[in-house]
Amino acid sequence: MIIPAIDLSLGRVVRLKQGDFNQKSVFNFDPVKRVLEAANSGAKLCHIVDLDGAKDKTKRQRACIERIVKASPIPIQTGGGIRSYSDVKNLLDLGVSRVVIGSAAVSHRELVRGWIKRFGSDKITLAFDVRVQDGRAYVATHGWLKTSNITIESLINSYMSVNLKHILVTDIAKDGMMQGANYNLYKSLTKTYPFLDIIASGGISSLEDIKEVKRAHATSVVLGRSLLEGKFTVKEAIKCFQNA
């Protein structure tokens, strides 16, 4: 599946390079219009990141997300600074289809396991941002500022007891760089966890990159900057992914 992504800050569509707010590009696109265009092009799911909410929970862009959800004919997956039961519930109550949980899934595993049990594994996507060091993928937290000593495999294993379904995996070194994805990472994960919905994210800048991710057996691909900069269209990406 091709999943168009929209990063939001102050209600505007933006993109960060490697998660750095000092390297922010602002795009003159209406987020609702972008979602409608993606849906009309065949997208079945859209990924929304609340960058302001990730930095400060008091600045969560609830009104903007609600406007997108109400207008969208396709399901919306969204996250950004999700740290409590009420954060998850509030987004689901808005009509969001899946809530994306990042840092909390690393630092508060028992709590997040409880949320998955409560809301169901299909309502939660765990987002694992990783740095690859000496061939091992270690999970980063706190907006990528800190790299833990926890491997992505050990983290995934800790959620097997609650029937984890969806994981979004981003190699930090690749994100926003438009230099291709970490195909070996996805190949390794899909081989170890063939039953998981493994969503690839970061670095995809060409249709050839999409083919490589599909060949690595990732089930979905999140596309952000490449679509915003017109490297290819949603229709072209979907056709490429289906035929790879």
Side-chain angles (χ1 to χ4, degrees):
M1 185 192 299
I2 292 295
I3 306 175
I6 297 174
D7 291 0
L8 293 176
S9 179
L10 301 175
R12 298 180 299 176
V13 178
V14 304
R15 283 296 290 168
L16 307 183
K17 184 177 285 188
Q18 295 185 298
D20 185 353
F21 273 82
N22 293 318
Q23 300 187 70
K24 180 168 69 174
S25 300
V26 180
F27 294 84
N28 189 29
F29 297 127
D30 175 69
V32 170
K33 193 173 180 181
R34 292 291 294 183
V35 171
L36 292 176
E37 288 171 351
N40 289 336
S41 295
K44 303 299 183 186
L45 177 71
C46 195
H47 179 77
I48 307 291
V49 181
D50 181 356
L51 293 173
D52 295 343
K55 284 184 73 176
D56 183 347
K57 66 179 182 180
T58 65
K59 296 181 179 178
R60 198 174 301 284
Q61 298 172 88
R62 182 183 172 91
C64 185
I65 291 170
E66 184 174 21
R67 185 166 67 93
I68 292 170
V69 170
K70 284 184 175 179
S72 177
I74 59 175
I76 299 295
Q77 167 178 280
T78 190
I82 306 301
R83 296 184 180 89
S84 69
Y85 172 90
S86 62
D87 288 341
V88 179
K89 186 176 186 302
N90 287 342
L91 286 174
L92 291 175
D93 287 347
L94 286 184
V96 167
S97 294
R98 290 188 209 155
V99 177
V100 181
I101 301 168
S103 294
V106 183
S107 53
H108 300 290
R109 280 180 260 183
E110 189 59 40
L111 195 63
V112 174
R113 281 193 289 265
W115 300 344
I116 295 174
K117 287 180 184 177
R118 172 65 182 84
F119 297 108
S121 56
D122 204 44
K123 293 291 184 181
I124 303 290
T125 297
L126 299 188
F128 299 144
D129 301 325
V130 302
R131 279 195 177 91
V132 178
Q133 300 172 345
D134 299 323
R136 304 294 300 277
Y138 295 94
V139 180
T141 61
H142 300 85
W144 301 352
L145 296 175
K146 299 180 180 179
T147 303
S148 71
N149 60 357
I150 303 166
T151 65
I152 188 171
E153 291 85 0
S154 65
L155 193 54
I156 291 171
N157 291 341
S158 71
Y159 284 97
M160 287 296 96
S161 63
V162 291
N163 298 316
L164 176 65
K165 282 187 180 180
H166 310 287
I167 62 169
L168 172 65
V169 183
T170 304
D171 180 343
I172 292 168
K174 300 289 187 179
D175 190 71
M177 301 305 289
M178 304 289 285
Q179 295 174 356
N182 189 332
Y183 314 117
N184 290 331
L185 172 64
Y186 300 120
K187 199 175 293 182
S188 173
L189 290 174
T190 55
K191 184 177 180 181
T192 306
Y193 306 101
F195 47 86
L196 286 180
D197 172 28
I198 296 177
I199 306 167
S201 169
I204 296 165
S205 61
S206 68
L207 295 177
E208 188 58 36
D209 290 336
I210 293 174
K211 290 178 185 177
E212 289 293 335
V213 172
K214 176 70 177 290
R215 289 169 189 150
H217 304 296
T219 48
S220 301
V221 182
V222 167
L223 299 175
R225 182 178 289 272
S226 55
L227 291 177
L228 289 170
E229 295 186 352
K231 301 293 184 183
F232 43 78
T233 66
V234 172
K235 280 185 179 179
E236 288 170 337
I238 291 171
K239 184 177 179 181
C240 177
F241 190 78
Q242 290 173 341
N243 295 333

